[in-house]
Amino acid sequence: MSDCIFCKIVEKQIPATVIYEDDEVLAFMDIGPIVKGHALVIPKRHCDPVTETPDELLAKLHIVAKRIAEAQMNGLGADGVNIMQNNGAAAGQEVPHIHVHVIPRFSDDGHHWNWNPKTYDDFDEMNALAAQIQNHL
Ligand code: AMP
Ligand code: ZN
C-alpha cells in the first residue's frame, strides 16, 4: 500500500530501528513508546485488520512477539510485558497495517492503563451478549 507508513518502513522508504527481521515479519522500536523499549511486530505484506490476516501469519507475529517479550525481560530487565493489538479507530488503532505492541513493564514504570471495568445489569444481559457472539463462532 503506497500510503501506508508501515509498508514504507518495510520498503525502507522511511527509517526505523529494526530489532528483528525474517522473510515475513519485521519488528522495530515504536517511536512513541508507552514505556521505553516498546516494540512493534508487523507482517512485511500489508494486512489489516486481524480478521483479514491469515491464521498462519498471525501465529508468526505472535511467536515473534513472544521472543521479543523474552528479550525485553532478559535484556532490559523488564518485570513484565504487555502484548496488545488494536483493530479499528474505535479500538484506538492509528496505523491500519496490523501490528502487535510488545511493551516492557517495570514495577516502577509509573504507567497505568485506563482499565475501567463496568458491570452488567444482570446475568441475562451478559448471557444475551454471549449468545450473540457464540452464534457467529
Ligand atoms: P496503534 O494505535 O495500535 O495503531 O499504534 C500505532 C503505533 O505506531 C503507535 O504506538 C505509534 O507510536 C507507532 N508509530 C507510528 N509511526 C511510527 C514510525 N514511523 N515508527 C515507529 N513507530 C511508529
Ligand atoms: Zn501497510
Side-chain angles (χ1 to χ4, degrees), residues 99-132:
H99 49 281
V100 181
H101 293 265
V102 189
I103 305 171
R105 299 302 307 273
F106 304 87
S107 319
D108 59 353
D109 64 34
H111 179 72
H112 298 284
W113 297 108
N114 184 22
W115 197 269
N116 185 12
K118 315 292 184 302
T119 52
Y120 289 104
D121 293 343
D122 50 34
F123 276 109
D124 287 346
E125 185 191 22
M126 186 174 76
N127 291 342
L129 291 166
Q132 278 177 257

Side-chain angles (χ1 to χ4, degrees), residues 5-6 9 14-17 28-34 38-40 48 84-89 91-101 103:
I5 194 165
F6 287 176
I9 286 176
I14 60 171
T17 301
F28 52 93
M29 301 300 276
D30 192 306
I31 43 162
I34 295 298
H38 181 167
L40 299 173
D48 198 65
M84 56 189 289
Q85 198 269 305
N86 303 323
N87 296 279
Q93 186 181 16
E94 288 178 0
V95 179
H97 175 134
I98 190 170
H99 49 281
V100 181
H101 293 265
I103 305 171

